[in-house]
Amino acid sequence: MSSSKLISCNILLFSFHQFLLLIHTKPLVPALYVFGDSLFDSGNNNLLPTIAKANFPPYGQNFVQRFTGRFTNGRTLPDFIAEFVELPYPPPYLGVHESIPLTGLNYASSACGILPQTGTIFGKCLSLGEQIDLFKLTIESKLPTHFKSSEELSKHIADSIFILTIGSNDYIQNYLEPTVFSTSHDYDPQSFAQLLIDALSNHFQRLYKIGARKIIMHEIGPLGCIPHYTRKYELTGKCHEETNQIVSYFNHKLHELLQSLTSTLQGSVFVLARINSLSYDVINNPSKYGYSDGSNPCCTTWGNGSAACIPWLEACPNPNQHFFWDGYHNTETGNLVAASLCFNNAQFCTPFSIRDLIQN
């Protein structure tokens, strides 16, 4: 069977698997908590005064609930992780108005980042600090009534999986677009990376203090390879390597940070998801992964392929053959590949795969 047919079959199987979860199953972990930006947002920005939204077609054209606010054609990476651990998709926090689910929540907010100013040019979004504030509120005032004791609640949180992706917008808005902010004039690439890492370290320590113990953080992807940048520069290859080099300083420091936190915060495991090298390989060798196109967006976007999908315009007929959905985000198949690797492969999600975390 070809790689593309295998990916299509896997997507159908996982759709059936999610249906079975609705009938009866016992989850592998108590809950899945999601933090981040538009790569993980499942609808929080729908309820915020911002232009950074994806609650219209063709977004969600291959998702069972259609256009929910996910910035892709189907499921996000956390959606697949939820399926693997036999949990329902964590709903967007701002969309929950009744009883808080015990199986997890999604706090991710499109356009936002590690720094509080990131995303403000588009309106209101939830910075990582604000997302953690909302999680703290959840733990302190909304979940305790569901547990017999504080110890039982603490165990629930400690055994749950926390998954994050954040930082891309800090670079795109604050550093790589000097007409928006002056950050690139104030910091060299290494200093800016350290600024983000120091802030991220504080956020992680807050999560730990609240009770999180199993935390998976994704690298920033190869931004120099996304259509938003490949269509702005004359390239010698498929990517703008100067942009990739700037981002690499953050990813290198991130690896060191996660190792340091694991060794200093007792009982914690901080896992690095090596998404950068995987995405770079897919973009430069698409046929290896069953794609016919690793460079161009599937939907018709603003800015000649470099931005978000234009509402209601028909997308390409074969999104599974495209790695990119719009000028920034990948298709569902890319999310499936990365989620599968993180669940099973300790070389991709290191030092432990999610399967390892569950068994520990």
Side-chain angles (χ1 to χ4, degrees):
M1 182 182 290
S2 68
S3 298
S4 58
K5 288 183 179 178
L6 183 60
I7 289 174
S8 298
C9 289
N10 280 339
I11 289 174
L12 290 174
L13 285 172
F14 287 124
S15 297
F16 181 66
H17 176 65
Q18 185 68 15
F19 169 74
L20 291 178
L21 294 181
L22 299 176
I23 301 173
H24 177 71
T25 189
K26 183 178 180 181
L28 303 181
V29 295
L32 177 64
Y33 292 99
V34 180
F35 301 81
D37 51 32
S38 57
L39 293 170
F40 285 4
D41 190 353
S42 61
N44 281 309
N45 273 36
N46 295 350
L47 301 165
L48 293 171
T50 175
I51 62 172
K53 299 179 188 287
N55 56 345
F56 52 83
Y59 289 105
Q61 73 170 31
N62 303 111
F63 190 65
V64 63
Q65 299 170 18
R66 308 302 286 176
F67 41 97
T68 59
R70 289 165 167 82
F71 280 73
T72 183
N73 62 306
R75 282 160 285 186
T76 63
L77 190 151
D79 290 333
F80 283 113
I81 296 300
E83 294 185 5
F84 295 156
V85 297
E86 302 179 11
L87 289 171
Y89 302 145
Y93 173 85
L94 295 181
V96 175
H97 303 296
E98 298 177 359
S99 179
I100 288 287
L102 300 182
T103 54
L105 286 163
N106 188 323
Y107 300 87
S109 180
S110 303
C112 256
I114 299 169
L115 302 177
Q117 68 265 33
T118 300
T120 56
I121 58 173
F122 302 111
K124 173 61 182 174
C125 61
L126 303 174
S127 67
L128 181 56
E130 291 173 306
Q131 293 176 38
I132 297 173
D133 288 341
L134 293 175
F135 174 66
K136 186 172 185 287
L137 178 66
T138 303
I139 299 305
E140 291 180 347
S141 65
K142 298 186 178 183
L143 283 184
T145 57
H146 296 277
F147 295 90
K148 297 176 181 178
S149 65
S150 59
E151 290 77 16
E152 190 176 286
L153 173 58
S154 296
K155 179 171 173 42
H156 171 86
I157 299 302
D159 290 342
S160 296
I161 298 292
F162 291 74
I163 186 168
L164 302 91
T165 186
I166 201 83
S168 295
N169 292 318
D170 296 291
Y171 274 96
I172 293 171
Q173 298 172 36
N174 295 346
Y175 201 82
L176 299 173
E177 310 283 352
T179 58
V180 178
F181 289 103
S182 64
T183 316
S184 60
H185 300 297
D186 300 331
Y187 296 90
D188 61 35
Q190 294 93 330
S191 299
F192 184 66
Q194 192 62 53
L195 174 73
L196 295 180
I197 288 295
D198 290 343
L200 186 62
S201 177
N202 291 332
H203 291 315
F204 280 142
Q205 291 180 65
R206 283 190 66 205
L207 272 179
Y208 175 83
K209 187 175 181 180
I210 298 169
R213 293 296 181 267
K214 300 177 179 180
I215 300 172
I216 301 164
M217 174 65 185
H218 287 67
E219 294 176 326
I220 296 176
L223 296 183
C225 300
I226 66 175
H228 180 72
Y229 287 113
T230 59
R231 295 179 177 234
K232 288 186 175 183
Y233 300 102
E234 290 188 11
L235 306 174
T236 55
K238 291 188 176 182
C239 302
H240 187 247
E241 298 302 346
E242 182 180 346
T243 296
N244 286 340
Q245 178 60 46
I246 290 172
V247 172
S248 72
Y249 296 117
F250 174 88
N251 287 334
H252 179 73
K253 292 175 183 293
L254 176 64
H255 190 192
E256 295 176 344
L257 171 65
L258 299 185
Q259 288 181 322
S260 174
L261 291 174
T262 298
S263 64
T264 56
L265 299 179
Q266 185 177 4
S268 71
V269 179
F270 286 83
V271 172
L272 176 71
R274 298 180 180 275
I275 197 73
N276 187 285
S277 57
L278 172 66
S279 298
Y280 189 86
D281 194 37
V282 172
I283 292 161
N284 283 277
N285 303 286
S287 61
K288 176 180 171 182
Y289 296 87
Y291 295 106
S292 61
D293 190 328
S295 302
N296 300 297
C298 175
C299 74
T300 303
T301 84
W302 303 105
N304 187 32
S306 66
C309 300
I310 299 175
W312 298 95
L313 290 189
E314 189 173 344
C316 69
N318 57 339
N320 289 348
Q321 290 294 312
H322 283 251
F323 180 67
F324 286 108
W325 173 247
D326 62 14
Y328 302 96
H329 310 95
N330 53 272
T331 55
E332 178 183 65
T333 53
N335 293 327
L336 171 57
V337 170
S340 300
L341 286 171
C342 193
F343 188 77
N344 294 296
N345 192 324
Q347 277 70 52
F348 178 75
C349 272
T350 182
F352 299 108
S353 68
I354 295 177
R355 189 186 298 276
D356 294 332
L357 283 179
I358 293 170
Q359 294 172 351
N360 285 345

